[in-house]
Amino acid sequence: MDFTVQKKMFRIAIKLLILVVFLGSIMIWIMNPTSTYSDIWTPYIHAKTNSTYLGNQGEPLLLYMFPILFIAALGCVYLHLEKKCGTKNCSESTAEEINGISLWKRPIFVKGPLGIVFWTELAFIVMFIALLVWSFAVYLKIGFSPITPQLAAKYEEQVWEAQLSLAAFRLGSLGNICLALLFFPVARGSSVLPLVGLTSEASIKYHIWLGHITMVLFTAHGLLYIIYWIAMNQLSETLKWDKIWISNVAGELSLLFGLGMWVTSFARIRRQMFELFFYTHNLYTLFLIFFVLHIGISYSFIMMPGLYLFLIDRYLRFLQSRQKVCVLSSLLLPCETLELNFSKNTGLEYSPTSIIFINVPSISKLQWHPFTITSNSNLEPETLSVVIGRGGSWSQKLYQMLSTPSSVERLEVAVEGPYGPASTHFLRHDSLVMVSGGLGITPFFSIIRELIFQSTTLGTKTPQILLICAFRNSADLTMLDFILPGYGTLIDSCPVKLQIEAYVTREKHPPMSTADKDLIRKISFKPNVLDMPISAILGPNSWLWLGVIISCSFVLFIVMLGIITRFYIYPIDHNTNMIYPLSSRAVIGMLLICGSITLTASAVVVMNKKQNANKARQNTQFIDAPSPGFHSTDRELESFPKQSFIQATNVHYGSRPDLEMILSKCEGSSIGVLVCGPRKMRHDVATICSSGLVDNLHFETISFSW
C-alpha cells in the first residue's frame, strides 16, 4: 500500500477515534441529570474509581476531564500529520462537496443581537439550548418528586421553599455546563478549534454568547438562594464558609467578580471604553479561584478541561511574550496607516488571514492588540508584516511616535502568535469576490499572496479574483500598494487574474495631487543584539510538542494528586470527606494543576529554545545591530511614489458599490464571496448570498484585527 494512502488512512482513523470519544462525552452530559446516571452508573463508576489515591475525585477526572484532554492531545497528532502531508490548501473539492459545505455555511440569520448566524451555528445553538432545557427539566422532575409536605416540614420548610432551593442549586449546575465550554474559544493555540475548522478570532462570538448565558444562570442561582434565605430567616448563611461543604462566601465573591466582568463586556461599553473592559476582564482569575473554592475541586473537574487547555495556552503565550522581537522597518502611509516589518524564523509557517498580538512597552506595558498578518510565509520566508490603521488611542500613539522627525532608533516590541486556521479552502472555487471596507482589506493581502505563491511556485490553477474595496478618502488608496511584497511590481506581471474596483465614498472627484500625499515613507530600524526573529514558541513541530505538554502535564497532575491524597489527605480523612477541609483540597488541586502545566511547558520550551536560537542567529546575520552604547542618528528614511496598483485600479468617486448587481453578474460554477469590513457591509453581503438570488455564491466572513 502506498505510504501516502497509509498516512491518509491513519488520519481518518484518528478522526474517527476523536469522534467516538466526543460522542461518548456528549452522552455523559445528556445522561447526567437522569436517575439512570445517578442510581446505576454513578455507584458502579464510583466503586471502580474510588481509591486511597484519588478518593471521589477519580470519577469526574475519568468522565469529564480525561476524554476532552485525550481529544485535544490526539488532535495535536492529527494536525501535525495534516501539516506534514501538505493539506494546507484544499483544491480538489467536487461540486457536490462544495454545495454540501455551502448549504451548512449559508447564513440563516443576518440581523439581530446575534449578528450573522450560519446553519451550522444554528444547529449547535439549538442542540446546546436543548441540552440546558433537558437537564433543567429532568433535574426538577426528579428532584421535585420526593418533596412532600411531610418531608418539607421535617426540615422546617414549606414545599415551595424546598423547591426553590433545589431550583437554585440546579441553575448553578447549568451554569457549570456553560462554564465548561466558555474557555475553548479563547484558547488561541489549542488544537480543539482547528479540529472543527475554527479559529480563536472567529470564535470570540461564541465566548461572548456563552459568557452572557453563564452569568445569567449564575446570577439567577445566587438571587434565588438569597430569596430562599430571606424566606427561611437565614440571612446569616450569606456569611458562611463551611469547612467540609459549600462555601457561600466564596460563591458570593466569585459572583461579584463575574458581575464586574459581565457589566463591562456589553458591546456599547466595550467599544466606547475598551480599556475599562480590558482591565476588568482580568478579574477572571479571581472569579475562577473563588468559584473552585465555592464548589470544591472534585466538582470543578466538570468544567476544568476547557480551562486546563486555556491555562496551557496562556502560559505558553506568557513565555513567548518575554522575548523582544526584531523590527526591521516601518512604512508610513499618508492615510495615517503604517506597516511594521519583522524579522522571522524561516521555519515559522502560518496560514493566510492569521493574526498576531503585539505589545509596545513604550506605549503600554499591559495592552496587547491583535493585527492581521499581511505577509505570506512562503513568499516572504524571512519577514512578517502587519498593517496598523488609525483606530484607537494605542494605534494613534504608535503612528505619531514613528512619524515625528525625532523618531526612535529602535522599536521595542513583544509578540504572541501567529494564530490562524489550520487549513484554507480558497482554491476550491472558480472565482473569488473579496469585499472589504477600510482596513478590512488587510486579510485579503495574505490571501492574494498565497494564491500568487500557489500559481508561480506550485503551478496550481488559481481562481480569478475580483477585489471590491471601499475607502473613505483617496489617501486610503495607498493601502493597495501592500498587495504585493515588491513595491515596484506592475499589476500586469501579477500571475493571478486580479481585478480591483475601489470606491472612495467621501470624495466626488480625484483630489489635486501633492508631493506629500503621494509619498510612502520608509523607516529602517537598528535592532538590539538581543532582539530575536519571530518564531514559534514550540518550534516547527509545535502541534506534536503541544500534545506532549497536554498529555504529560495531565499525567504529572494525576501522579502528584494521587501521592498527596494517599500520603497526606487520606490518613486524615480516610475518604469520608467529613474531616479534611474542602477549600484546602481546592487550593491543593489548583496549585497542582498550575504546577504541572508550568513544569511541563517550561521543559518543552527550553528544549526548543536552543534550536530556535541557532536558527535565529543564522536569520539575523544580515542585520547590522548597533554596538552597546552607540546611538546612531543615521536612520534610513526613504520615500516611495504611488505604484501601479493604484494606477491600474478602477476608482469610483462619490459612490458605494452596488453589491447586489456586482454579485449577480459574477460567472462561474463556484464563487467564493469573502467579506471583511463594517458590520453593515457584512450583513448586506450575507443577505445577498442567502437570498437565493444566485445559487453559486458561497459566503464566508473574514475576521480581521487592526
Side-chain angles (χ1 to χ4, degrees):
M1 184 181 295
D2 184 73
F3 184 62
T4 304
V5 177
Q6 289 180 339
K7 290 192 293 185
K8 184 176 182 180
M9 292 181 64
F10 185 57
R11 294 203 309 274
I12 293 174
I14 292 176
K15 218 167 187 179
L16 287 175
L17 180 57
I18 289 174
L19 180 61
V20 169
V21 176
F22 174 72
L23 292 177
S25 184
I26 293 296
M27 184 186 68
I28 294 295
W29 281 105
I30 295 174
M31 295 298 296
N32 183 275
T34 65
S35 57
T36 302
Y37 181 88
S38 58
D39 298 340
I40 301 175
W41 292 12
T42 297
Y44 176 81
I45 297 172
H46 185 72
K48 296 293 184 181
T49 57
N50 190 27
S51 66
T52 58
Y53 286 92
L54 294 176
N56 64 351
Q57 300 168 127
E59 177 191 343
L61 279 171
L62 175 65
L63 294 182
Y64 296 99
M65 201 163 177
F66 172 75
I68 303 302
L69 295 187
F70 178 77
I71 289 174
L74 202 58
C76 291
V77 177
Y78 176 84
L79 293 171
H80 173 78
L81 294 175
E82 187 179 54
K83 179 180 178 182
K84 292 300 181 183
C85 291
T87 56
K88 187 176 179 181
N89 294 282
C90 174
S91 59
E92 299 180 354
S93 301
T94 64
E96 291 78 9
E97 290 173 336
I98 293 173
N99 291 332
I101 295 173
S102 177
L103 177 64
W104 282 101
K105 294 190 70 175
R106 180 170 295 178
I108 180 62
F109 299 126
V110 175
K111 297 181 180 179
L114 298 182
I116 300 174
V117 178
F118 298 90
W119 276 106
T120 48
E121 294 174 332
L122 179 63
F124 280 103
I125 290 172
V126 170
M127 288 189 289
F128 179 69
I129 298 299
L131 175 64
L132 295 181
V133 173
W134 156 262
S135 300
F136 193 57
V138 175
Y139 277 138
L140 294 189
K141 182 177 182 295
I142 296 175
F144 283 0
S145 58
I147 299 178
T148 61
Q150 293 78 14
L151 181 63
K154 181 180 178 181
Y155 294 97
E156 300 180 353
E157 295 176 325
Q158 297 183 32
V159 172
W160 72 269
E161 292 171 337
Q163 292 176 339
L164 180 66
S165 175
L166 179 65
F169 177 73
R170 290 311 179 186
L171 284 173
S173 300
L174 296 188
N176 207 22
I177 296 176
C178 299
L179 197 59
L181 300 176
L182 184 63
F183 289 94
F184 285 108
V186 290
R188 300 172 192 163
S190 170
S191 59
V192 175
L193 292 178
L195 281 176
V196 291
L198 294 174
T199 63
S200 177
E201 190 73 8
S203 303
I204 288 298
K205 63 180 180 180
Y206 308 136
H207 176 74
I208 295 173
W209 297 348
L210 287 166
H212 287 313
I213 298 173
T214 301
M215 288 312 305
V216 166
L217 292 172
F218 281 155
T219 302
H221 166 76
L223 288 176
L224 289 185
Y225 263 119
I226 291 176
I227 294 172
Y228 170 76
W229 290 329
I230 293 175
M232 295 291 295
N233 294 317
Q234 295 178 354
L235 267 180
S236 60
E237 289 287 323
T238 58
L239 303 177
K240 186 177 180 180
W241 191 304
D242 199 286
K243 178 181 178 181
I244 59 172
W245 187 233
I246 298 296
S247 168
N248 295 335
V249 174
E252 292 153 6
L253 290 174
S254 177
L255 181 59
L256 286 176
F257 291 126
L259 290 173
M261 289 189 294
W262 189 27
V263 169
T264 58
S265 66
F266 286 93
R268 180 173 295 181
I269 298 176
R270 188 175 68 247
R271 290 169 186 160
Q272 295 180 357
M273 296 179 285
F274 178 80
E275 291 189 3
L276 176 64
F277 157 77
F278 176 81
Y279 291 121
T280 55
H281 229 61
N282 287 306
L283 292 173
Y284 77 88
T285 304
L286 295 173
F287 166 77
L288 290 170
I289 289 174
F290 285 104
F291 176 81
V292 177
L293 290 173
H294 173 56
I295 64 175
I297 192 65
S298 296
Y299 195 67
S300 298
F301 288 143
I302 296 176
M303 51 72 60
M304 192 61 71
L307 177 60
Y308 194 91
L309 296 175
F310 171 77
L311 291 175
I312 291 176
D313 177 73
R314 188 66 192 88
Y315 183 65
L316 290 175
R317 284 157 44 196
F318 168 78
L319 293 178
Q320 185 184 22
S321 65
R322 297 306 92 195
Q323 175 64 58
K324 297 300 182 288
V325 297
C326 174
V327 187
L328 299 176
S329 62
S330 174
L331 293 174
L332 304 178
L333 272 62
C335 59
E336 297 185 5
T337 299
L338 61 91
E339 180 187 60
L340 288 181
N341 299 295
F342 300 87
S343 172
K344 87 169 185 69
N345 193 307
T346 54
L348 175 63
E349 297 180 354
Y350 48 86
S351 301
T353 70
S354 294
I355 65 168
I356 194 167
F357 285 75
I358 294 178
N359 170 260
V360 181
S362 58
I363 298 178
S364 173
K365 294 182 179 181
L366 298 178
Q367 290 188 31
W368 290 81
H369 293 268
F371 297 99
T372 303
I373 299 175
T374 56
S375 56
N376 180 270
S377 58
N378 294 311
L379 284 179
E380 302 141 284
E382 296 182 343
T383 57
L384 183 149
S385 304
V386 298
V387 171
I388 302 175
R390 57 179 182 269
S393 59
W394 187 92
S395 56
Q396 291 177 358
K397 290 177 182 178
L398 179 61
Y399 187 88
Q400 292 171 1
M401 182 174 66
L402 296 179
S403 60
T404 54
S406 58
S407 185
V408 293
E409 296 291 337
R410 168 181 174 259
L411 186 62
E412 183 179 338
V413 175
V415 301
E416 292 178 357
Y419 306 103
S423 60
T424 56
H425 303 279
F426 308 121
L427 293 177
R428 70 187 180 192
H429 299 293
D430 300 325
S431 303
L432 287 177
V433 179
M434 302 177 178
V435 184
S436 69
L439 280 165
I441 194 175
T442 54
F444 298 144
F445 295 159
S446 60
I447 296 175
I448 294 173
R449 295 185 190 186
E450 176 64 23
L451 295 177
I452 291 173
F453 168 77
Q454 292 285 332
S455 176
T456 57
T457 306
L458 303 181
T460 306
K461 181 182 177 181
T462 56
Q464 59 184 8
I465 303 172
L466 171 60
L467 176 59
I468 304 169
C469 44
F471 301 107
R472 292 181 178 179
N473 306 302
S474 57
D476 296 334
L477 292 170
T478 53
M479 281 193 287
L480 296 174
D481 286 325
F482 291 142
I483 290 180
L484 286 182
Y487 291 96
T489 305
L490 294 173
I491 193 171
D492 294 336
S493 65
C494 182
V496 299
K497 296 180 181 179
L498 175 62
Q499 177 186 350
I500 304 176
E501 300 289 335
Y503 293 80
V504 180
T505 59
R506 294 189 177 182
E507 296 178 5
K508 295 184 177 180
H509 305 285
M512 297 295 294
S513 178
T514 62
D516 291 337
K517 280 194 173 184
D518 288 344
L519 298 181
I520 297 176
R521 293 186 295 161
K522 178 180 179 181
I523 302 175
S524 295
F525 300 105
K526 293 187 176 180
N528 189 287
V529 291
L530 297 178
D531 292 344
M532 301 292 288
I534 298 176
S535 59
I537 187 65
L538 297 178
N541 297 318
S542 56
W543 285 123
L544 276 185
W545 285 117
L546 179 60
V548 170
I549 293 174
I550 293 171
S551 54
C552 291
S553 62
F554 183 61
V555 171
L556 181 60
F557 166 67
I558 294 295
V559 171
M560 292 192 297
L561 181 64
I563 292 173
I564 292 178
T565 302
R566 174 63 183 86
F567 297 103
Y568 173 60
I569 298 178
Y570 180 76
I572 300 173
D573 191 81
H574 299 288
N575 278 354
T576 61
N577 299 316
M578 300 297 292
I579 301 175
Y580 196 80
L582 184 74
S583 57
S584 297
R585 289 178 184 265
V587 171
I588 291 174
M590 288 187 286
L591 290 176
L592 290 180
I593 288 174
C594 294
S596 61
I597 291 174
T598 301
L599 290 173
T600 310
S602 298
V604 171
V605 169
V606 169
M607 290 172 63
N608 282 276
K609 192 172 184 180
K610 186 176 181 181
Q611 182 181 2
N612 288 340
N614 292 335
K615 290 184 178 180
R617 292 190 189 96
Q618 297 174 4
N619 202 34
T620 53
Q621 287 177 352
F622 66 93
I623 299 176
D624 184 19
S627 58
F630 177 74
H631 302 280
S632 173
T633 58
D634 185 18
R635 180 177 60 258
E636 181 184 0
L637 181 62
E638 302 177 17
S639 299
F640 294 94
K642 291 182 182 179
Q643 300 296 335
S644 56
F645 262 111
I646 299 176
Q647 298 168 3
T649 299
N650 294 324
V651 183
H652 310 267
Y653 287 92
S655 64
R656 298 179 183 275
D658 188 341
L659 296 174
E660 184 173 346
M661 182 192 69
I662 294 172
L663 293 176
S664 64
K665 291 183 177 180
C666 292
E667 298 180 355
S669 60
S670 175
I671 301 172
V673 181
L674 314 179
V675 60
C676 186
R679 182 174 182 175
K680 185 179 184 304
M681 173 179 282
R682 299 197 307 271
H683 289 180
D684 290 344
V685 176
T687 302
I688 296 170
C689 293
S690 60
S691 64
L693 178 68
V694 183
D695 294 333
N696 57 353
L697 299 180
H698 307 287
F699 175 80
E700 183 174 350
T701 180
I702 304 292
S703 300
F704 79 105
S705 303
W706 48 272

